[in-house]
Amino acid sequence: MHSGSVSRLSFLFYWLLLLAAGAGVIGCKKKNPHAEDTVVFKPQPIAPEDTIKYPNALITTLNRKNRWVDSVFRRMSLDERITQLMMVEVFSNQGPEHEADVELLIRRYKIGGLIFFQGGPIRQAMMTNRLQAASKVPLWIGMDAESGIGMRMDSAMQYPLPMLLGAINNDSLIYRMGAEMAYEFKRMGMHVNFAPVVDVNNNANNPVISYRAFGENKDDVSSKSLAQMLGMQDNGIIATAKHFPGHGDTDVDSHYDLPVIPYGRNRLDSLELHPFRHLIQSGVGGIMVGHIHLPKLDSTANLPASLSKPIVTGILRNELRYSGLIFTDAMVMKGVTKYFKPGEAEVMALEAGNDVLERLVSVPKALEAIKAAIRSGRLSQKEIDRRCKKVLAAKYWLGLHHYQPIKTDSLYQDLNASHAHETLRRLAEGSLTLLQNKRKTIPLENKKRRTIASLAVGATKSTFFQRKIKDELTVQDYFLPRRTTKKDREKLRKALLKHDLLLISIYGPSIRPSNSLGLTPEERDLVNELVRKKRSVVILFDNAYTLNRFQDIHEASALLVGYQQLPAVQAAAAKLVVGKLEPQGKLPVTVNEHFRYGDGL
């Protein structure tokens, strides 16, 4: 679906897609030769009773009068109305002292919410129950889970990151992933996902967005982020589009410094703001404002967009008429703290027009500074009260007026349900992008008097792909770890050149995609030489941009991009290499002159 059609009709469109998925794409055995292992997806009854399913239902709830909101608001002190706008970070793997510190903030300052990071499901569920019990008003709980809760915690599902999703031609699968995420959030007693990323990544050197974006095409980013957003919000979880007004064209990471975007409104209107507009029209519940400096929109020195009234109120609130929740990006990031002190930064964020302050450096300093700003007239109590009621209305929409503790029975099983694994399999299989297949090198099959070497670049032991390929082909495994010696590389080179065909799989240093692969120039030179000299099938299980790390990669006989090293992706790649799966993916970004946006056989 392209951007021109993203409107109220999009909701009907995605519901029809989901119905089609249930009736055809997901369960159709005639079209799917491997349908015998299909688990039919059954949407879960997970939306709160008071959630009304129609376009902009959440936005309507946030801005209408509500008796529960009024009754809770009347019992709040002036301080509590301020701290209701604060969400603090929490870790379930940092022990009792950390939990005691968080509980103190809840009891003393009555903060509005939490943002969970690393930990495990049982530990987090039990910690959530204890912290909720300590809170006067039910806490709303968020997570920065762009690829699902497994991105932050162990023993949980990890779905693909946006670059992989950007390669998929079936957006109903992305809707379904959003619905799965919503189910897992609800099961963990969480309410706000700081996703989707709607940045248009048109800068190959971007160190912080890159594979976290759906791609470089604004229409793709609009439709795919819309699918993920609707999957979450239709099932009772608040989605948060980020990073307004667009973090895709930067070469600085705002976690460590303040990126500067030199463009004005013409460029932003034609590109960066495009996906935000469409998600706003479709009722996205939250928007996160980034710590990026746009001097042509606000010339104040070193001022991030998150603290800029012309950007937050002027553009987002007034021009785009956004009446949902506006979140700051984390206030602990260097994009803010390098130039503005704790307390003053939070005052400026509220002055700018943000509703919610996320991950503060110091709750006490922020509270005192905001109270002083109200006394001096910089901030109005009326505006604080309006935003407090808005947060309470969000909690009402989320069902927190009927709060129930998390049940830990069967928690691991529920977070690893068969329908979730089926969704992950379909996403992985739909994304694989075949960029080259000279002389129909693949599918591969066993041939007499032909030897195949399976080389895992960046690995020290047999990978999931290598194990899967051995079920189909007779191959000999080899490894090219990082930081190899010259002697080991030469020994490996001689052994590999004796084989008739090389099956080269390339891995980054972690489960998350990388920006560089972490290989030395000598290790990359060896890969380039092998590709030049032998028939080779190359599979990249990492960020598509890392193809640029190999200057001769375009000489490979066959080249397949898997985007991530998730086991589901490696299993899908093994099936494709032996002809049990057809390639369907398209490259979501331009990598270089050889591999451009939209390529894929």
Side-chain angles (χ1 to χ4, degrees), residues 523-552:
E523 288 155 2
R524 298 199 304 271
D525 286 345
L526 176 56
V527 174
N528 281 318
E529 181 189 357
L530 294 170
V531 166
R532 288 194 308 270
K533 289 187 174 180
K534 303 296 293 188
R535 289 196 74 195
S536 57
V537 176
V538 178
I539 307 106
L540 176 68
F541 293 114
D542 206 277
N543 184 348
Y545 287 124
T546 60
L547 288 171
N548 282 320
R549 308 300 288 177
F550 304 97
Q551 64 183 28
D552 297 326

PDB file of all heavy atoms in Angstrom, residues 523-552:
ATOM      1  N   GLU A 523      40.889  -9.948   6.875  1.00  0.00           N
ATOM      2  CA  GLU A 523      39.808 -10.940   6.825  1.00  0.00           C
ATOM      3  C   GLU A 523      38.850 -10.641   5.675  1.00  0.00           C
ATOM      4  O   GLU A 523      38.403 -11.543   4.958  1.00  0.00           O
ATOM      5  CB  GLU A 523      39.074 -10.970   8.174  1.00  0.00           C
ATOM      6  CG  GLU A 523      39.905 -11.614   9.280  1.00  0.00           C
ATOM      7  CD  GLU A 523      39.539 -11.175  10.686  1.00  0.00           C
ATOM      8  OE1 GLU A 523      38.587 -10.362  10.844  1.00  0.00           O
ATOM      9  OE2 GLU A 523      40.218 -11.614  11.631  1.00  0.00           O
ATOM     10  N   ARG A 524      38.567  -9.358   5.473  1.00  0.00           N
ATOM     11  CA  ARG A 524      37.689  -8.982   4.354  1.00  0.00           C
ATOM     12  C   ARG A 524      38.386  -9.248   3.020  1.00  0.00           C
ATOM     13  O   ARG A 524      37.747  -9.678   2.053  1.00  0.00           O
ATOM     14  CB  ARG A 524      37.286  -7.506   4.466  1.00  0.00           C
ATOM     15  CG  ARG A 524      36.491  -7.187   5.732  1.00  0.00           C
ATOM     16  CD  ARG A 524      35.727  -5.882   5.607  1.00  0.00           C
ATOM     17  NE  ARG A 524      36.575  -4.747   5.276  1.00  0.00           N
ATOM     18  CZ  ARG A 524      37.183  -3.973   6.167  1.00  0.00           C
ATOM     19  NH1 ARG A 524      37.042  -4.225   7.468  1.00  0.00           N
ATOM     20  NH2 ARG A 524      37.936  -2.949   5.794  1.00  0.00           N
ATOM     21  N   ASP A 525      39.700  -9.024   2.953  1.00  0.00           N
ATOM     22  CA  ASP A 525      40.451  -9.301   1.725  1.00  0.00           C
ATOM     23  C   ASP A 525      40.371 -10.782   1.354  1.00  0.00           C
ATOM     24  O   ASP A 525      40.283 -11.130   0.168  1.00  0.00           O
ATOM     25  CB  ASP A 525      41.922  -8.892   1.893  1.00  0.00           C
ATOM     26  CG  ASP A 525      42.119  -7.377   1.870  1.00  0.00           C
ATOM     27  OD1 ASP A 525      41.185  -6.667   1.445  1.00  0.00           O
ATOM     28  OD2 ASP A 525      43.202  -6.916   2.296  1.00  0.00           O
ATOM     29  N   LEU A 526      40.431 -11.643   2.352  1.00  0.00           N
ATOM     30  CA  LEU A 526      40.337 -13.077   2.082  1.00  0.00           C
ATOM     31  C   LEU A 526      38.974 -13.421   1.486  1.00  0.00           C
ATOM     32  O   LEU A 526      38.886 -14.190   0.513  1.00  0.00           O
ATOM     33  CB  LEU A 526      40.588 -13.876   3.366  1.00  0.00           C
ATOM     34  CG  LEU A 526      40.421 -15.403   3.243  1.00  0.00           C
ATOM     35  CD1 LEU A 526      41.318 -15.960   2.132  1.00  0.00           C
ATOM     36  CD2 LEU A 526      40.719 -16.085   4.578  1.00  0.00           C
ATOM     37  N   VAL A 527      37.912 -12.854   2.032  1.00  0.00           N
ATOM     38  CA  VAL A 527      36.577 -13.095   1.478  1.00  0.00           C
ATOM     39  C   VAL A 527      36.511 -12.590   0.038  1.00  0.00           C
ATOM     40  O   VAL A 527      35.993 -13.287  -0.859  1.00  0.00           O
ATOM     41  CB  VAL A 527      35.494 -12.427   2.349  1.00  0.00           C
ATOM     42  CG1 VAL A 527      34.113 -12.548   1.690  1.00  0.00           C
ATOM     43  CG2 VAL A 527      35.472 -13.053   3.748  1.00  0.00           C
ATOM     44  N   ASN A 528      37.026 -11.400  -0.207  1.00  0.00           N
ATOM     45  CA  ASN A 528      37.020 -10.856  -1.569  1.00  0.00           C
ATOM     46  C   ASN A 528      37.771 -11.773  -2.539  1.00  0.00           C
ATOM     47  O   ASN A 528      37.310 -12.022  -3.664  1.00  0.00           O
ATOM     48  CB  ASN A 528      37.673  -9.455  -1.579  1.00  0.00           C
ATOM     49  CG  ASN A 528      36.737  -8.373  -1.084  1.00  0.00           C
ATOM     50  OD1 ASN A 528      35.567  -8.351  -1.418  1.00  0.00           O
ATOM     51  ND2 ASN A 528      37.270  -7.473  -0.266  1.00  0.00           N
ATOM     52  N   GLU A 529      38.920 -12.289  -2.118  1.00  0.00           N
ATOM     53  CA  GLU A 529      39.696 -13.177  -2.988  1.00  0.00           C
ATOM     54  C   GLU A 529      38.929 -14.456  -3.294  1.00  0.00           C
ATOM     55  O   GLU A 529      38.910 -14.927  -4.444  1.00  0.00           O
ATOM     56  CB  GLU A 529      41.038 -13.516  -2.321  1.00  0.00           C
ATOM     57  CG  GLU A 529      41.908 -14.426  -3.194  1.00  0.00           C
ATOM     58  CD  GLU A 529      43.151 -14.947  -2.476  1.00  0.00           C
ATOM     59  OE1 GLU A 529      43.371 -14.566  -1.310  1.00  0.00           O
ATOM     60  OE2 GLU A 529      43.888 -15.744  -3.090  1.00  0.00           O
ATOM     61  N   LEU A 530      38.311 -15.031  -2.281  1.00  0.00           N
ATOM     62  CA  LEU A 530      37.551 -16.274  -2.479  1.00  0.00           C
ATOM     63  C   LEU A 530      36.398 -16.059  -3.459  1.00  0.00           C
ATOM     64  O   LEU A 530      36.125 -16.910  -4.312  1.00  0.00           O
ATOM     65  CB  LEU A 530      37.020 -16.773  -1.128  1.00  0.00           C
ATOM     66  CG  LEU A 530      38.076 -17.226  -0.113  1.00  0.00           C
ATOM     67  CD1 LEU A 530      37.443 -17.469   1.242  1.00  0.00           C
ATOM     68  CD2 LEU A 530      38.814 -18.478  -0.602  1.00  0.00           C
ATOM     69  N   VAL A 531      35.732 -14.929  -3.336  1.00  0.00           N
ATOM     70  CA  VAL A 531      34.608 -14.612  -4.219  1.00  0.00           C
ATOM     71  C   VAL A 531      35.089 -14.448  -5.663  1.00  0.00           C
ATOM     72  O   VAL A 531      34.419 -14.866  -6.612  1.00  0.00           O
ATOM     73  CB  VAL A 531      33.889 -13.344  -3.718  1.00  0.00           C
ATOM     74  CG1 VAL A 531      32.945 -12.791  -4.786  1.00  0.00           C
ATOM     75  CG2 VAL A 531      33.103 -13.650  -2.438  1.00  0.00           C
ATOM     76  N   ARG A 532      36.259 -13.839  -5.823  1.00  0.00           N
ATOM     77  CA  ARG A 532      36.800 -13.629  -7.175  1.00  0.00           C
ATOM     78  C   ARG A 532      37.241 -14.941  -7.830  1.00  0.00           C
ATOM     79  O   ARG A 532      37.064 -15.147  -9.029  1.00  0.00           O
ATOM     80  CB  ARG A 532      38.007 -12.677  -7.135  1.00  0.00           C
ATOM     81  CG  ARG A 532      37.684 -11.230  -6.868  1.00  0.00           C
ATOM     82  CD  ARG A 532      38.887 -10.331  -7.182  1.00  0.00           C
ATOM     83  NE  ARG A 532      40.125 -10.765  -6.538  1.00  0.00           N
ATOM     84  CZ  ARG A 532      40.525 -10.361  -5.332  1.00  0.00           C
ATOM     85  NH1 ARG A 532      39.775  -9.512  -4.643  1.00  0.00           N
ATOM     86  NH2 ARG A 532      41.670 -10.784  -4.818  1.00  0.00           N
ATOM     87  N   LYS A 533      37.818 -15.839  -7.041  1.00  0.00           N
ATOM     88  CA  LYS A 533      38.486 -16.999  -7.618  1.00  0.00           C
ATOM     89  C   LYS A 533      37.612 -18.251  -7.754  1.00  0.00           C
ATOM     90  O   LYS A 533      37.921 -19.134  -8.558  1.00  0.00           O
ATOM     91  CB  LYS A 533      39.724 -17.356  -6.773  1.00  0.00           C
ATOM     92  CG  LYS A 533      40.853 -16.352  -6.916  1.00  0.00           C
ATOM     93  CD  LYS A 533      42.110 -16.831  -6.210  1.00  0.00           C
ATOM     94  CE  LYS A 533      43.275 -15.883  -6.483  1.00  0.00           C
ATOM     95  NZ  LYS A 533      44.516 -16.329  -5.798  1.00  0.00           N
ATOM     96  N   LYS A 534      36.565 -18.358  -6.951  1.00  0.00           N
ATOM     97  CA  LYS A 534      35.781 -19.580  -6.948  1.00  0.00           C
ATOM     98  C   LYS A 534      34.303 -19.283  -7.177  1.00  0.00           C
ATOM     99  O   LYS A 534      33.819 -18.180  -6.906  1.00  0.00           O
ATOM    100  CB  LYS A 534      35.924 -20.305  -5.591  1.00  0.00           C
ATOM    101  CG  LYS A 534      37.331 -20.648  -5.190  1.00  0.00           C
ATOM    102  CD  LYS A 534      37.999 -21.651  -6.130  1.00  0.00           C
ATOM    103  CE  LYS A 534      37.358 -23.018  -6.069  1.00  0.00           C
ATOM    104  NZ  LYS A 534      38.118 -24.041  -6.847  1.00  0.00           N
ATOM    105  N   ARG A 535      33.593 -20.291  -7.678  1.00  0.00           N
ATOM    106  CA  ARG A 535      32.127 -20.175  -7.688  1.00  0.00           C
ATOM    107  C   ARG A 535      31.675 -20.095  -6.232  1.00  0.00           C
ATOM    108  O   ARG A 535      32.078 -20.913  -5.401  1.00  0.00           O
ATOM    109  CB  ARG A 535      31.487 -21.388  -8.365  1.00  0.00           C
ATOM    110  CG  ARG A 535      31.701 -21.450  -9.862  1.00  0.00           C
ATOM    111  CD  ARG A 535      30.734 -22.421 -10.511  1.00  0.00           C
ATOM    112  NE  ARG A 535      29.379 -21.875 -10.557  1.00  0.00           N
ATOM    113  CZ  ARG A 535      28.293 -22.605 -10.793  1.00  0.00           C
ATOM    114  NH1 ARG A 535      28.401 -23.911 -10.975  1.00  0.00           N
ATOM    115  NH2 ARG A 535      27.115 -22.046 -10.845  1.00  0.00           N
ATOM    116  N   SER A 536      30.864 -19.110  -5.946  1.00  0.00           N
ATOM    117  CA  SER A 536      30.513 -18.893  -4.540  1.00  0.00           C
ATOM    118  C   SER A 536      29.067 -18.441  -4.391  1.00  0.00           C
ATOM    119  O   SER A 536      28.550 -17.666  -5.198  1.00  0.00           O
ATOM    120  CB  SER A 536      31.445 -17.852  -3.910  1.00  0.00           C
ATOM    121  OG  SER A 536      31.390 -16.642  -4.649  1.00  0.00           O
ATOM    122  N   VAL A 537      28.437 -18.952  -3.335  1.00  0.00           N
ATOM    123  CA  VAL A 537      27.123 -18.490  -2.900  1.00  0.00           C
ATOM    124  C   VAL A 537      27.339 -17.764  -1.578  1.00  0.00           C
ATOM    125  O   VAL A 537      27.814 -18.364  -0.609  1.00  0.00           O
ATOM    126  CB  VAL A 537      26.139 -19.664  -2.716  1.00  0.00           C
ATOM    127  CG1 VAL A 537      24.810 -19.161  -2.169  1.00  0.00           C
ATOM    128  CG2 VAL A 537      25.937 -20.410  -4.029  1.00  0.00           C
ATOM    129  N   VAL A 538      27.027 -16.470  -1.548  1.00  0.00           N
ATOM    130  CA  VAL A 538      27.259 -15.658  -0.345  1.00  0.00           C
ATOM    131  C   VAL A 538      25.914 -15.300   0.286  1.00  0.00           C
ATOM    132  O   VAL A 538      25.002 -14.829  -0.401  1.00  0.00           O
ATOM    133  CB  VAL A 538      28.045 -14.371  -0.687  1.00  0.00           C
ATOM    134  CG1 VAL A 538      28.238 -13.514   0.555  1.00  0.00           C
ATOM    135  CG2 VAL A 538      29.391 -14.713  -1.314  1.00  0.00           C
ATOM    136  N   ILE A 539      25.804 -15.528   1.593  1.00  0.00           N
ATOM    137  CA  ILE A 539      24.594 -15.157   2.338  1.00  0.00           C
ATOM    138  C   ILE A 539      25.014 -14.222   3.461  1.00  0.00           C
ATOM    139  O   ILE A 539      25.832 -14.582   4.321  1.00  0.00           O
ATOM    140  CB  ILE A 539      23.873 -16.384   2.939  1.00  0.00           C
ATOM    141  CG1 ILE A 539      23.600 -17.434   1.854  1.00  0.00           C
ATOM    142  CG2 ILE A 539      22.561 -15.960   3.580  1.00  0.00           C
ATOM    143  CD1 ILE A 539      24.502 -18.616   1.936  1.00  0.00           C
ATOM    144  N   LEU A 540      24.457 -13.026   3.465  1.00  0.00           N
ATOM    145  CA  LEU A 540      24.755 -12.035   4.511  1.00  0.00           C
ATOM    146  C   LEU A 540      23.655 -12.054   5.559  1.00  0.00           C
ATOM    147  O   LEU A 540      22.496 -11.756   5.256  1.00  0.00           O
ATOM    148  CB  LEU A 540      24.863 -10.634   3.903  1.00  0.00           C
ATOM    149  CG  LEU A 540      25.067  -9.489   4.896  1.00  0.00           C
ATOM    150  CD1 LEU A 540      26.441  -9.567   5.551  1.00  0.00           C
ATOM    151  CD2 LEU A 540      24.882  -8.126   4.214  1.00  0.00           C
ATOM    152  N   PHE A 541      24.010 -12.400   6.776  1.00  0.00           N
ATOM    153  CA  PHE A 541      23.063 -12.377   7.888  1.00  0.00           C
ATOM    154  C   PHE A 541      23.302 -11.127   8.737  1.00  0.00           C
ATOM    155  O   PHE A 541      23.568 -11.202   9.936  1.00  0.00           O
ATOM    156  CB  PHE A 541      23.195 -13.641   8.747  1.00  0.00           C
ATOM    157  CG  PHE A 541      22.778 -14.899   8.044  1.00  0.00           C
ATOM    158  CD1 PHE A 541      23.702 -15.889   7.750  1.00  0.00           C
ATOM    159  CD2 PHE A 541      21.454 -15.099   7.673  1.00  0.00           C
ATOM    160  CE1 PHE A 541      23.317 -17.056   7.108  1.00  0.00           C
ATOM    161  CE2 PHE A 541      21.056 -16.262   7.026  1.00  0.00           C
ATOM    162  CZ  PHE A 541      21.993 -17.240   6.738  1.00  0.00           C
ATOM    163  N   ASP A 542      23.253  -9.961   8.120  1.00  0.00           N
ATOM    164  CA  ASP A 542      23.525  -8.710   8.832  1.00  0.00           C
ATOM    165  C   ASP A 542      22.954  -7.555   8.021  1.00  0.00           C
ATOM    166  O   ASP A 542      22.391  -7.757   6.932  1.00  0.00           O
ATOM    167  CB  ASP A 542      25.034  -8.546   9.061  1.00  0.00           C
ATOM    168  CG  ASP A 542      25.351  -7.686  10.278  1.00  0.00           C
ATOM    169  OD1 ASP A 542      25.344  -6.441  10.133  1.00  0.00           O
ATOM    170  OD2 ASP A 542      25.580  -8.242  11.361  1.00  0.00           O
ATOM    171  N   ASN A 543      23.099  -6.378   8.560  1.00  0.00           N
ATOM    172  CA  ASN A 543      22.688  -5.128   7.941  1.00  0.00           C
ATOM    173  C   ASN A 543      23.087  -5.094   6.461  1.00  0.00           C
ATOM    174  O   ASN A 543      24.251  -5.292   6.120  1.00  0.00           O
ATOM    175  CB  ASN A 543      23.388  -4.000   8.723  1.00  0.00           C
ATOM    176  CG  ASN A 543      23.007  -2.615   8.278  1.00  0.00           C
ATOM    177  OD1 ASN A 543      22.384  -2.425   7.237  1.00  0.00           O
ATOM    178  ND2 ASN A 543      23.402  -1.640   9.075  1.00  0.00           N
ATOM    179  N   ALA A 544      22.123  -4.815   5.578  1.00  0.00           N
ATOM    180  CA  ALA A 544      22.414  -4.800   4.136  1.00  0.00           C
ATOM    181  C   ALA A 544      23.524  -3.824   3.774  1.00  0.00           C
ATOM    182  O   ALA A 544      24.299  -4.072   2.834  1.00  0.00           O
ATOM    183  CB  ALA A 544      21.142  -4.460   3.359  1.00  0.00           C
ATOM    184  N   TYR A 545      23.639  -2.719   4.503  1.00  0.00           N
ATOM    185  CA  TYR A 545      24.693  -1.737   4.212  1.00  0.00           C
ATOM    186  C   TYR A 545      26.096  -2.329   4.356  1.00  0.00           C
ATOM    187  O   TYR A 545      27.054  -1.808   3.783  1.00  0.00           O
ATOM    188  CB  TYR A 545      24.580  -0.521   5.127  1.00  0.00           C
ATOM    189  CG  TYR A 545      23.425   0.419   4.825  1.00  0.00           C
ATOM    190  CD1 TYR A 545      22.487   0.728   5.805  1.00  0.00           C
ATOM    191  CD2 TYR A 545      23.296   1.017   3.579  1.00  0.00           C
ATOM    192  CE1 TYR A 545      21.439   1.610   5.550  1.00  0.00           C
ATOM    193  CE2 TYR A 545      22.259   1.897   3.316  1.00  0.00           C
ATOM    194  CZ  TYR A 545      21.323   2.193   4.306  1.00  0.00           C
ATOM    195  OH  TYR A 545      20.297   3.065   4.039  1.00  0.00           O
ATOM    196  N   THR A 546      26.245  -3.411   5.147  1.00  0.00           N
ATOM    197  CA  THR A 546      27.585  -3.976   5.354  1.00  0.00           C
ATOM    198  C   THR A 546      28.092  -4.718   4.117  1.00  0.00           C
ATOM    199  O   THR A 546      29.261  -5.140   4.098  1.00  0.00           O
ATOM    200  CB  THR A 546      27.626  -4.915   6.580  1.00  0.00           C
ATOM    201  OG1 THR A 546      26.697  -5.989   6.386  1.00  0.00           O
ATOM    202  CG2 THR A 546      27.286  -4.171   7.856  1.00  0.00           C
ATOM    203  N   LEU A 547      27.270  -4.861   3.080  1.00  0.00           N
ATOM    204  CA  LEU A 547      27.787  -5.360   1.805  1.00  0.00           C
ATOM    205  C   LEU A 547      28.943  -4.478   1.324  1.00  0.00           C
ATOM    206  O   LEU A 547      29.850  -4.935   0.621  1.00  0.00           O
ATOM    207  CB  LEU A 547      26.686  -5.397   0.748  1.00  0.00           C
ATOM    208  CG  LEU A 547      25.604  -6.473   0.906  1.00  0.00           C
ATOM    209  CD1 LEU A 547      24.482  -6.231  -0.089  1.00  0.00           C
ATOM    210  CD2 LEU A 547      26.192  -7.872   0.722  1.00  0.00           C
ATOM    211  N   ASN A 548      28.886  -3.201   1.710  1.00  0.00           N
ATOM    212  CA  ASN A 548      29.943  -2.267   1.305  1.00  0.00           C
ATOM    213  C   ASN A 548      31.304  -2.582   1.919  1.00  0.00           C
ATOM    214  O   ASN A 548      32.320  -2.012   1.501  1.00  0.00           O
ATOM    215  CB  ASN A 548      29.545  -0.833   1.675  1.00  0.00           C
ATOM    216  CG  ASN A 548      28.539  -0.252   0.710  1.00  0.00           C
ATOM    217  OD1 ASN A 548      28.641  -0.457  -0.496  1.00  0.00           O
ATOM    218  ND2 ASN A 548      27.557   0.466   1.235  1.00  0.00           N
ATOM    219  N   ARG A 549      31.335  -3.471   2.891  1.00  0.00           N
ATOM    220  CA  ARG A 549      32.622  -3.828   3.507  1.00  0.00           C
ATOM    221  C   ARG A 549      33.441  -4.752   2.602  1.00  0.00           C
ATOM    222  O   ARG A 549      34.599  -5.016   2.889  1.00  0.00           O
ATOM    223  CB  ARG A 549      32.399  -4.501   4.873  1.00  0.00           C
ATOM    224  CG  ARG A 549      31.506  -3.729   5.835  1.00  0.00           C
ATOM    225  CD  ARG A 549      32.040  -2.366   6.178  1.00  0.00           C
ATOM    226  NE  ARG A 549      33.201  -2.410   7.046  1.00  0.00           N
ATOM    227  CZ  ARG A 549      33.877  -1.346   7.443  1.00  0.00           C
ATOM    228  NH1 ARG A 549      33.505  -0.141   7.033  1.00  0.00           N
ATOM    229  NH2 ARG A 549      34.919  -1.472   8.238  1.00  0.00           N
ATOM    230  N   PHE A 550      32.800  -5.269   1.532  1.00  0.00           N
ATOM    231  CA  PHE A 550      33.496  -6.185   0.616  1.00  0.00           C
ATOM    232  C   PHE A 550      33.432  -5.597  -0.791  1.00  0.00           C
ATOM    233  O   PHE A 550      32.383  -5.617  -1.429  1.00  0.00           O
ATOM    234  CB  PHE A 550      32.836  -7.567   0.628  1.00  0.00           C
ATOM    235  CG  PHE A 550      32.749  -8.177   2.002  1.00  0.00           C
ATOM    236  CD1 PHE A 550      31.580  -8.079   2.740  1.00  0.00           C
ATOM    237  CD2 PHE A 550      33.835  -8.842   2.562  1.00  0.00           C
ATOM    238  CE1 PHE A 550      31.478  -8.637   4.008  1.00  0.00           C
ATOM    239  CE2 PHE A 550      33.751  -9.403   3.826  1.00  0.00           C
ATOM    240  CZ  PHE A 550      32.573  -9.298   4.547  1.00  0.00           C
ATOM    241  N   GLN A 551      34.550  -5.107  -1.298  1.00  0.00           N
ATOM    242  CA  GLN A 551      34.537  -4.386  -2.572  1.00  0.00           C
ATOM    243  C   GLN A 551      34.237  -5.292  -3.769  1.00  0.00           C
ATOM    244  O   GLN A 551      33.767  -4.830  -4.807  1.00  0.00           O
ATOM    245  CB  GLN A 551      35.874  -3.675  -2.793  1.00  0.00           C
ATOM    246  CG  GLN A 551      37.069  -4.613  -2.929  1.00  0.00           C
ATOM    247  CD  GLN A 551      38.384  -3.857  -3.072  1.00  0.00           C
ATOM    248  OE1 GLN A 551      38.495  -2.739  -2.583  1.00  0.00           O
ATOM    249  NE2 GLN A 551      39.349  -4.469  -3.726  1.00  0.00           N
ATOM    250  N   ASP A 552      34.479  -6.612  -3.624  1.00  0.00           N
ATOM    251  CA  ASP A 552      34.268  -7.529  -4.748  1.00  0.00           C
ATOM    252  C   ASP A 552      33.043  -8.427  -4.566  1.00  0.00           C
ATOM    253  O   ASP A 552      32.881  -9.407  -5.291  1.00  0.00           O
ATOM    254  CB  ASP A 552      35.514  -8.400  -4.943  1.00  0.00           C
ATOM    255  CG  ASP A 552      36.735  -7.579  -5.316  1.00  0.00           C
ATOM    256  OD1 ASP A 552      36.562  -6.559  -6.025  1.00  0.00           O
ATOM    257  OD2 ASP A 552      37.848  -7.942  -4.898  1.00  0.00           O
TER     258      ASP A 552
END
